[in-house]
Amino acid sequence: MAERVKTLRLILGDQLNHQHSWFKEEQENIRYVFMEMRQETDYVTHHIQKVIGFFSAMREFAAHLKERDHEVIYLKINYKKNKQTLPENLKQIISDYEIEKFEYQLPDEYRLDVQLKDFCRDLTIETEAYDTEHFLTSREDLTNFYKGKKEMTMEYFYRDMRKKYDILMVNTKDPEGGKWNFDKSNRKKWSGKPEIPHERGFRKDVSELLQEVEKAGIKTFGNLDAEKFIWPTSREDSLSVLNYFCKNLLVHFGDFQDALHTEQAYLFHSRLSFALNSKMLHPKEVIDSVIGYWRENKDEIDISQVEGFVRQILGWREYMRGIYWKEMPGYGKSNKLENQNKLPEFYWTANTKMNCLKHSIQQSLDNAYAHHIQRLMITGNYALLTRTHPNEVDAWYLGIYIDAIEWVEITNTRGMSQFADGGIVATKPYVSSGSYINKMSNYCKGCEYDVMKKTGENSCPFNSLYWNFLDDKREFFKDNRRMGMMLNMLDKKSQDELFRIKERANAIIQNPENF
C-alpha cells in the first residue's frame, strides 16, 4: 500500500502559475498531480507545437515544484497506468493514496468545469475549488457590469478596468495622454522600415518528447523543427520574452500592430499569449512591466504604443473571458447567420493561389502562430465570406494556435470573426474586400489575382465574395446602422454587375480548391 496522503491537488496544463498561494502554504501531506491525457490531445486535432508546448511547460513546472520539495505525481502520456481521462486517473490516485480531500483550481474551459463538478459530486471525500488567481476579473464581473444594459461595448468595460486598477490614469477620472484609446494611431502599413529585431525565440531540443507523442499515436498537424523549438516553456523563458518585448519591440508595437507582411511573421508583436494563457505570466505583471519600461523611456516611446498593448490584455482579454462565462454553453452552438459550408482543405495545407491566405496559413502551420489581423481579416474573413459553418472554423482555430484555449478562442472566432453570435461581441461583421488587405500588407503584390478587379478570371476572390456576402445577408443586416453605407453602395450596383459578382463568388465557394 502506498503512503497515506491527506490532500490531492490537481494542476491542469493551463494552470502553470508559479505565484499561486497554494505554493506558499505549509505543504504537509499535500500532493500535486499533473496529467498528459488523450482526453486533452484528442478533443480537436491540435498543432504539434501546441501539444509539445503544453507538455514541455507542464513538465518544467512539475520539476520546479519538485525542486522546492513539493510532492508531485506526474502521469506522462505513455505511462502504463495512465487511463487517459481526468475522472479515471483521479479515481485511481485517490484510491491508491487513500486521499482524504481533493482540491482543484477552477478550470477556464466550460467542458472541464462541468467534468470536475460532476466528478466531485460523486466523491465521498471532501472537495474544494480555488480561484486560479490569474485573471483581473471574476467569471461573473462582466455579466454584473452590463446588467440592465441593452448592449455591451468593450470600450466602457476597458475604461472601468483602467479606473479600477489605476492603469494609465492621471486621476480617478482622466486617462493619461488625454485619450482612452489611441487605436487610430495603430493602423500603419509596414514597408521595410523601421527595421524589425529578430524575434526572441528559443532553440530547444524537444526530440525525445516528440518521440513520446508519436509513440502515443496522437494525431496532430502543422510543422515542427524538433531541435529548435521556439516557444517559452518556463517562467524564466516567459520573463525573458517579456523583457525582450519591452526593450526591442514596444517602441513600434502600436503603430504596426495591424500590419501584415510576407517576410515578417511576427513584426513587433510580443508573442506572450502562450505564456499568459498557460499562466506562466500574470496579466498585471505584464502590464506593469510594459508601462514601467515606457515611463523610463518616454523620450523614445509614445503612449500610443503602450495603450494599444494594454488594451489587448486589460480590455480585450478580460472582456472575452467574461463573454465566455456569460454566454456558455449556448455560445458554442450559435450560428445566427446559418452558415453551413465546410472549411476548404487548403486551411491544412496552405495550397492556394491566394497570396494572403497562402502566407497566413503557411505561417500558422510553421509557427502555430498568427497575429490578430491575420486571424480576423485573412483566414477568418475568408471563412465568413464563403459561409463556412462556425463549428468548422472553431475546430481549426482551436487546434492550430499554440495560445488557443476555448475561453479565448471561441469568443474571438465565433463572435468577433464569424459573427455567429449575432452581434454579442461585435457590432458588425469583420468582413472586407481585397482593398483592406492591400492597404495593410504587401500580400497583393505578386499575387495571381488582381486586387483592383471585382469580376473576371484573375479578379481578387475577396472582392466578389465580399459583395456577394452583403447581398446574401442583406435581410439580416438591413437594420444594422454600421452596415448602412455598404448596403447603400450595394444597391447602386447594376443587375448585370451584381450577377457577374455573384457568379464569380459562387464559383469560388463551390470549388475553393481551384483558387
Side-chain angles (χ1 to χ4, degrees):
M1 178 65 65
E3 75 271 24
R4 191 164 190 155
V5 178
K6 185 176 181 182
T7 301
L8 181 70
R9 286 177 169 173
L10 171 67
I11 298 177
L12 298 172
D14 65 340
Q15 295 178 341
L16 312 181
N17 180 1
H18 291 59
Q19 298 165 308
H20 197 278
S21 58
W22 269 2
F23 313 121
K24 298 169 186 173
E25 303 168 359
E26 292 282 333
Q27 296 295 308
E28 192 173 343
N29 280 330
I30 292 174
R31 189 158 294 207
Y32 296 93
V33 61
F34 297 77
M35 305 176 193
E36 299 170 1
M37 298 176 290
R38 294 299 296 266
Q39 169 188 305
E40 295 306 293
T41 61
D42 296 5
Y43 67 92
V44 294
T45 304
H46 296 284
H47 197 296
I48 182 58
Q49 291 186 40
K50 186 180 182 185
V51 176
I52 295 290
F54 273 100
F55 283 6
S56 294
M58 288 165 65
R59 292 182 181 193
E60 291 200 43
F61 188 41
H64 167 86
L65 292 182
K66 285 180 183 177
E67 286 167 7
R68 284 149 185 80
D69 298 322
H70 296 293
E71 294 292 321
V72 174
I73 300 167
Y74 195 100
L75 303 186
K76 290 187 176 181
I77 190 67
N78 292 311
Y79 176 55
K80 62 182 179 181
K81 291 186 178 179
N82 186 345
K83 298 180 183 298
Q84 304 297 341
T85 73
L86 197 53
E88 291 303 311
N89 279 332
L90 287 172
K91 276 183 204 170
Q92 190 65 55
I93 293 166
I94 288 169
S95 172
D96 287 350
Y97 289 92
E98 296 184 350
I99 299 296
E100 296 174 13
K101 185 182 182 186
F102 171 63
E103 298 178 348
Y104 67 96
Q105 295 175 29
L106 291 169
D108 289 313
E109 290 204 354
Y110 185 85
R111 65 184 175 87
L112 289 170
D113 195 58
V114 170
Q115 187 181 43
L116 279 166
K117 282 177 180 173
D118 290 347
F119 173 75
C120 289
R121 199 175 293 120
D122 294 336
L123 285 179
T124 56
I125 61 172
E126 185 183 353
T127 66
E128 188 172 355
Y130 291 78
D131 194 90
T132 60
E133 301 173 9
H134 174 80
F135 291 97
L136 300 172
T137 52
S138 73
R139 288 179 176 180
E140 297 79 27
D141 280 355
L142 184 125
T143 301
N144 295 332
F145 183 77
Y146 285 106
K147 193 169 284 182
K149 296 182 175 68
K150 288 185 178 179
E151 61 180 24
M152 297 182 294
T153 307
M154 194 277 285
E155 181 68 23
Y156 298 113
F157 171 80
Y158 169 54
R159 292 180 187 185
D160 186 69
M161 291 290 285
R162 291 264 296 268
K163 294 172 188 175
K164 183 178 180 180
Y165 284 96
D166 190 22
I167 291 173
L168 294 177
M169 298 296 295
V170 175
N171 51 47
T172 57
K173 294 182 179 178
D174 301 313
E176 215 165 330
K179 290 196 293 187
W180 289 102
N181 189 314
F182 289 83
D183 190 42
K184 289 182 180 176
S185 305
N186 301 154
R187 299 171 185 170
K188 293 181 182 175
K189 181 175 182 174
W190 186 79
S191 302
K193 297 290 181 182
E195 188 174 336
I196 299 171
H198 193 275
E199 75 272 9
R200 175 63 180 101
F202 299 88
R203 298 294 180 266
K204 300 183 180 188
D205 190 333
V206 294
S207 303
E208 288 186 16
L209 179 53
L210 176 61
Q211 288 173 7
E212 290 181 57
V213 170
E214 290 173 342
K215 181 182 176 184
I218 296 168
K219 183 183 177 184
T220 61
F221 69 115
N223 304 317
L224 167 68
D225 184 339
E227 295 179 357
K228 295 178 181 178
F229 188 67
I230 63 173
W231 292 98
T233 54
S234 68
R235 178 160 168 79
E236 184 181 20
D237 289 349
S238 302
L239 289 169
S240 172
V241 175
L242 173 58
N243 185 51
Y244 189 86
F245 171 68
C246 290
K247 289 184 176 179
N248 298 279
L249 304 171
L250 177 61
V251 63
H252 298 301
F253 167 76
D255 287 346
F256 300 103
Q257 66 173 304
D258 288 1
L260 308 149
H261 199 277
T262 52
E263 294 172 16
Q264 293 292 335
Y266 306 114
L267 290 115
F268 294 97
H269 288 269
S270 70
R271 296 171 66 245
L272 286 166
S273 53
F274 175 62
L276 275 164
N277 292 354
S278 59
K279 301 182 180 56
M280 292 186 287
L281 292 179
H282 191 280
K284 187 65 163 55
E285 77 177 319
V286 171
I287 291 168
D288 288 346
S289 295
V290 167
I291 291 175
Y293 188 83
W294 165 66
R295 293 204 188 285
E296 293 172 4
N297 297 274
K298 279 189 176 183
D299 291 345
E300 300 171 26
I301 305 173
D302 190 80
I303 190 173
S304 65
Q305 317 295 346
V306 179
E307 186 279 321
F309 182 83
V310 168
R311 189 177 349 119
Q312 287 189 3
I313 297 176
L314 182 68
W316 200 245
R317 188 171 184 266
E318 297 284 335
Y319 183 74
M320 288 307 219
R321 176 174 177 263
I323 295 282
Y324 181 77
W325 286 108
K326 180 178 182 297
E327 300 295 334
M328 285 296 282
Y331 202 83
K333 299 184 177 78
S334 55
N335 185 9
K336 297 290 187 182
L337 294 178
E338 300 180 348
N339 291 331
Q340 301 296 331
N341 291 332
K342 287 189 68 64
L343 199 65
E345 180 63 26
F346 63 68
Y347 273 72
W348 283 267
T349 64
N351 187 21
T352 172
K353 292 179 280 188
M354 290 173 276
N355 215 23
C356 56
L357 280 161
K358 188 179 190 69
H359 276 282
S360 297
I361 294 170
Q362 189 63 59
Q363 177 191 304
S364 302
L365 293 169
D366 289 343
N367 304 323
Y369 170 89
H371 71 67
H372 64 286
I373 296 298
Q374 289 170 313
R375 301 187 198 197
L376 182 64
M377 301 309 299
I378 307 293
T379 52
N381 186 18
Y382 183 86
L384 179 53
L385 292 178
T386 53
R387 304 198 294 272
T388 306
H389 197 294
N391 288 357
E392 296 260 320
V393 188
D394 264 345
W396 186 78
Y397 276 93
L398 189 56
I400 198 166
Y401 294 120
I402 194 167
D403 58 8
I405 299 168
E406 190 186 61
W407 66 267
V408 68
E409 176 277 322
I410 198 171
T411 45
N412 275 288
T413 300
R414 200 172 283 257
M416 183 76 169
S417 171
Q418 298 303 295
F419 209 79
D421 63 5
I424 292 172
V425 168
T427 54
K428 70 176 183 67
Y430 277 81
V431 289
S432 79
S433 64
S435 61
Y436 174 84
I437 298 167
N438 191 39
K439 177 184 174 185
M440 296 306 300
S441 77
N442 72 334
Y443 286 160
C444 299
K445 291 178 181 175
C447 183
E448 186 160 324
Y449 299 106
D450 187 341
V451 70
M452 306 307 292
K453 294 177 71 172
K454 293 185 179 65
T455 56
E457 281 192 20
N458 72 328
S459 64
C460 172
F462 277 90
N463 292 339
S464 54
L465 288 171
Y466 175 71
W467 292 108
N468 178 69
F469 172 83
L470 292 182
D471 187 60
D472 280 354
K473 306 298 181 183
R474 184 196 297 259
E475 188 66 22
F476 190 92
F477 293 114
K478 66 180 181 180
D479 297 323
N480 186 315
R481 288 172 297 174
R482 295 195 67 195
M483 297 292 286
M485 184 176 76
M486 300 315 296
L487 291 176
N488 286 338
M489 290 178 68
L490 177 67
D491 288 338
K492 293 175 182 175
K493 294 190 180 297
S494 68
Q495 286 298 109
D496 178 62
E497 183 183 9
L498 190 58
F499 174 81
R500 284 184 283 114
I501 284 171
K502 294 183 75 65
E503 185 179 46
R504 169 76 166 162
N506 286 318
I508 296 164
I509 292 168
Q510 290 166 20
N511 299 285
E513 68 281 359
N514 294 339
F515 295 85

